[in-house]
Every structure is written in C-alpha cells, then in structure tokens.
C-alpha cells in the first residue's frame, strides 16, 4: 500500500513536515478554499502540488472534489456544473493527480454527535449516537414529519436525552451535527438546514441512485480518456438520516453502481469505518469481490454499540477485522501488481495532541499511531506469505 495522510491545506494545524516524519510518502488533499461547483484551476492545483513536493511528499489522490448539491438533485444549472467538474478533472490530470475521491451524500457529509468522547485510557474519540440525532431532529431542528422516522422507544429516549441537556449542551449538539466537520462540503444553521432539506422533497433512494448514475455517465467518459479513477466514498453513517436517502451504504449498492456505469474510471474508496458500521458488510470479502474497482483505502475501525451508536476504535481493534482486511488488500496488490493508496482515518486524540488545537478526527499522533500499526500489519503479512506487490 502507498502510505498517505490527509492534509487540509495551509491552515491545517498538522504540518507537511509532521506528515513526512510520521512515515507517509504522500498526502491526500483538496482545494478546500474553492467554492463547490467552481473550476479548480491548473495554476492553483500546480501551486498546491509544488508546496507538497517541496517537503519531499507527493499528491496523487484528491479528497475530495465536491459534487454540488444541484448535481445530486439534478436541478439548477446542471450542464454548467458538469462542465466545471470535467474541466477540474482535466486540470488535475495535467498535474499528475489520477485518483479523485467524491461522495454522493445529500447535504451532510460525515456526521458525528460527539467529537471528544473520552475512552477509558483518557484518549478521546469521535462518536455517533442515534438517540442524540433523534433528539436534535425532533426537538431542536423540529423537522416536519420527523416523528415518522423513529419508533416509539427511540422517540421516548430522545425526549429524555433532550430534557437532560442544558442550553450549552443543546447548542454543542446542534453545532456538531450541522456546522460542518473537517472535509465536509457544507455547514448550516438549523433554519438553513431545514430549507436545504426541502430541496430534496420528492427525491427518494431510487431517484438519488438515478441522479448518481446520470452524474457518472456525464463525467466518466472524460475520466476514462484521462486515465483517472473516480472513487466514491461510502455514506457515513451508512443509513438515512433526517429523512434524506443514502445510496452508497452496502456492497449491493456499490455493485449496482458498477453494473449501471461499467466505465473503468467508476471506482470505490473503500472506507472500512463507514462500511464497518453495518454488520452486514463483509469487509474482507468486499476487497476480494470489488478488486480492481478499489482505488483508495480509508483504514479505520469502529466499535458498534447498542441502539445504533458507534465510536471510533483503535485501528487494529473494534469490529473491522483489520488483519483480514489487510491480508485481502495484500493479496489484491500482489495479484494486480499495484500499490493501492491508503490513509489511516480518524485517529484518537492522544498524548500531547490532547493539549493542542486539532481538527476532529485528524490529530497527528493518533493517526501516526494508526499508520505505524497498519504499516507493521502489512509488513508482517507480506513476510508471512513470502509475497510482495
């Protein structure tokens, strides 16, 4: 595997030199300052690549080139936005960037309810609690029709949870869910979020899948011509929230997408954390079966909890079966003769990072520990099998 770490650009508190010292050879990054739907210019991409290369790293994987909401709803100035997306792909390819990550989640990117959940050893982790989401949805956002999405037990638990929170706790929960986490494409206030939800009226899972296919049918011919791979990031969490459909949550979802758009450029970012929230996703089997479609790996593990909750576990712990996943990745790499870019995802906040300002999930030391563990696991598997990619 090609070892990378995510970097959020010049304002990231983690420096490029820190990432190089952690053992990565590349960063995955994006032009976060460019508004959604605008063209990434050749000059801006080249400048960012030069900045990365100046410290001995490389940049060949974008995370992410955002898909504007009008493309997801197939509304507004769709043709112009497609043209902009394709031009950004051409400019990225001209600068040697060959893998482009994107997602097709409506409105919200990855979602959590606690950004500093304390573990028994004093480290802090990200956590998602379904009851807390329901408390926000029912009693803070007050989304019309929200009660129809929750059973009686969840509604009762959410009401109790809301009643137990003071104003500060309610504001923190609201901000955590909708203000925008690192890498997210949008941030909202609750009134803005309600209005945005209305733009998805009448768009169910079937329609969103059709819109996703239409997007890929428009951009994949360009990506094919350029020799690029567009890798979709799975839904996080992998189920509908706030009445909005999510359509990249299971292996069946991905297989359907590949069947409908068989272009070589139509690929997958296999996130073991996102897919791993669902016990019905067989992660090692997905590596075996999806094979050459996998262009990028997010390696992290979650610990599933009762009532739809989960938290970020140690990279080699939790429910991800990471040893089996890495063994499958290693076999794939040997079979196809390629090194798949990977990054350790969502590290714990540990040690000195507990005293620093960090992007939630993207502290240096927790990810460095994860990278070291994953690197060691891969090398141990390669040694045991006697095979190298």
């Amino acid at each position: 595997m090609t070892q990378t770490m995510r970097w959020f650009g010049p304002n990231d508190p983690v420096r490029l030199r820190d990432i190089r010292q952690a053992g990565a050879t590349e960063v995955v990054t994006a032009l976060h300052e460019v508004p959604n739907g605008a063209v990434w210019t050749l000059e801006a991409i080249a400048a960012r690549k030069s900045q990365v290369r100046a410290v001995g790293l490389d940049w060949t994987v974008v995370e992410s080139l955002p898909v504007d909401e009008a493309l997801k709803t197939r509304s507004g100035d769709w043709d112009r936005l497609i043209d902009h997306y394709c031009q950004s792909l051409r400019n990225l390819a001209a600068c040697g960037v060959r893998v482009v990550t994107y997602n097709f989640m409506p409105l919200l990117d990855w979602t959590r309810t606690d950004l500093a959940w304390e573990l028994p050893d004093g480290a802090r982790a990200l956590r998602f609690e379904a009851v807390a989401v329901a408390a926000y949805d029912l009693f803070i956002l007050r989304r019309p029709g929200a009660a129809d999405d929750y059973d009686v037990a969840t509604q009762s638990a959410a009401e109790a949870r809301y009643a137990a929170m003071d104003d500060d706790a309610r504001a923190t929960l609201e901000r955590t869910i909708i203000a925008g986490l690192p890498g997210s494409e949008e941030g909202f206030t609750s009134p803005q979020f309600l209005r945005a939800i209305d733009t998805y009226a009448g768009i169910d899972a079937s329609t969103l899948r059709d819109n996703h296919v239409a997007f890929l049918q428009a951009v994949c011919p360009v990506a094919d011509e350029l020799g690029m791979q567009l890798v979709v990031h799975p839904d996080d969490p992998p189920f509908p929230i706030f009445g909005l459909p999510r359509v990249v949550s299971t292996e069946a979802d991905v297989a359907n997408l590949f069947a409908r758009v068989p272009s070589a450029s139509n690929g997958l970012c296999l996130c073991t954390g996102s897919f791993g929230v669902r016990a019905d996703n067989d992660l090692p089997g997905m590596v075996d079966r999806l094979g050459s479609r996998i262009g990028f790996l997010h390696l992290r593990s979650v610990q599933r909890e009762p009532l739809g909750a989960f938290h970020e576990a140690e990279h080699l712990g939790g429910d991800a079966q990471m040893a089996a996943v890495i063994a499958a990745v290693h076999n794939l790499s040997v079979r196809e003769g390629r090194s798949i870019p990977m990054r350790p995802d969502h590290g714990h906040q540990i040690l000195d990072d507990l005293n620093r300002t960090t992007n939630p999930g993207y502290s240096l030391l927790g990810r460095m520990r994860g990278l070291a563990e994953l690197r060691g696991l891969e090398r141990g598997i390669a040694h045991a099998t006697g095979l190298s990619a």
Side-chain angles (χ1 to χ4, degrees):
M1 297 183 293
T2 300
Q3 298 168 33
T4 80
M5 290 181 79
R6 193 167 189 181
W7 183 62
F8 291 99
N11 294 325
D12 194 324
V14 175
R15 301 170 302 172
L16 287 170
R17 291 190 180 278
D18 297 333
I19 291 173
R20 186 178 182 189
Q21 289 178 15
T25 58
E26 297 191 14
V27 296
V28 294
T29 190
L31 303 184
H32 295 288
E33 66 277 13
V34 178
N36 288 4
V39 174
W40 288 17
T41 67
L42 187 65
E43 294 76 15
I45 297 166
R48 185 62 52 86
K49 185 141 188 170
S50 294
Q51 184 180 14
V52 170
R53 282 186 163 175
V55 298
L57 295 166
D58 203 356
W59 176 32
T60 62
V61 179
V62 162
E63 188 176 357
S64 294
L65 182 58
V67 178
D68 191 272
E69 294 299 324
L71 294 175
K72 297 174 187 176
T73 59
R74 207 169 182 185
S75 62
D77 201 353
W78 198 85
D79 289 334
R80 181 182 63 84
L81 291 169
I82 288 292
D83 288 344
H84 285 190
Y85 206 94
C86 291
Q87 187 58 50
S88 294
L89 293 179
R90 294 185 185 98
N91 293 341
L92 285 163
C95 293
V97 178
R98 297 296 176 185
V99 177
V100 174
T101 315
Y102 74 98
N103 77 71
F104 220 77
M105 290 180 266
L107 299 182
L108 297 179
D109 200 316
W110 64 294
T111 304
R112 297 293 183 271
T113 57
D114 193 333
L115 305 182
W117 193 62
E118 188 164 334
L119 296 163
D121 64 0
R124 294 175 186 155
L126 304 173
R127 186 169 184 257
F128 178 92
E129 187 184 1
V131 169
V133 168
Y136 168 72
D137 196 9
L138 291 166
F139 303 108
I140 299 175
L141 183 64
R142 298 181 181 273
R143 175 172 61 90
D148 295 338
D149 292 339
Y150 304 102
D151 59 30
V152 173
T154 301
Q155 290 184 49
S156 178
E159 186 173 12
R161 177 64 183 274
Y162 176 76
M165 291 188 290
D166 60 20
D167 289 343
D168 286 344
R170 293 169 183 172
T172 297
L173 178 64
E174 177 181 34
R175 185 168 59 250
T176 299
I177 291 174
I178 62 170
L181 293 172
S184 297
E185 298 166 9
E186 302 286 354
F188 302 96
T189 64
S190 285
Q192 290 171 339
F193 188 38
L194 276 176
R195 290 193 294 271
I197 289 173
D198 284 342
T199 66
Y200 278 83
I203 297 179
D204 60 9
S206 178
T207 302
L208 187 62
R209 287 191 181 95
D210 289 343
N211 293 352
H212 193 174
V213 167
F215 165 74
L216 288 172
Q217 288 174 335
V219 300
C220 279
V222 174
D224 287 341
E225 180 183 338
L226 296 168
M228 303 182 81
Q229 194 170 30
L230 303 174
V231 294
V232 63
H233 188 285
D235 304 325
D236 187 4
F239 44 76
I241 54 175
F242 303 115
L244 297 166
R246 291 195 160 187
V247 296
V248 190
S249 296
T250 67
E251 181 177 355
D253 289 337
V254 177
N256 176 69
L257 190 65
F258 293 160
R260 294 183 67 181
V261 187
S263 299
S265 59
N266 181 18
L268 174 67
C269 169
L270 184 76
C271 179
T272 57
S274 297
F275 281 129
V277 168
R278 296 178 60 123
D280 57 346
N281 280 329
D282 168 21
L283 299 176
M286 290 174 74
V287 175
D288 291 335
R289 289 184 290 273
L290 299 175
S292 60
R293 295 286 192 169
I294 299 171
F296 186 27
L297 297 160
H298 285 185
L299 298 178
R300 63 181 174 92
S301 184
V302 298
Q303 181 66 58
R304 302 182 205 112
E305 303 175 36
L307 303 176
F310 62 87
H311 66 269
E312 308 283 355
E314 296 85 359
H315 283 82
L316 303 188
D319 291 310
Q321 298 179 281
M322 192 62 75
V325 169
I326 299 302
V329 169
H330 182 69
N331 290 338
L332 173 62
S333 299
V334 171
R335 185 168 67 247
E336 297 192 349
R338 65 188 178 109
S339 181
I340 303 172
M342 64 78 90
R343 69 172 177 86
D345 201 6
H346 296 186
H348 288 168
Q349 198 174 354
I350 61 173
L351 303 173
D352 190 47
D353 276 338
L354 289 166
N355 304 312
R356 297 182 183 181
T357 298
T358 63
N359 285 323
Y362 292 94
S363 60
L364 172 65
L365 299 179
R367 288 185 296 155
M368 182 174 71
R369 181 178 72 176
L371 182 62
E373 291 173 344
L374 295 165
R375 179 191 304 127
L377 178 58
E378 182 190 28
R379 290 185 180 179
I381 290 169
H383 178 76
T385 60
L387 299 173
S388 59

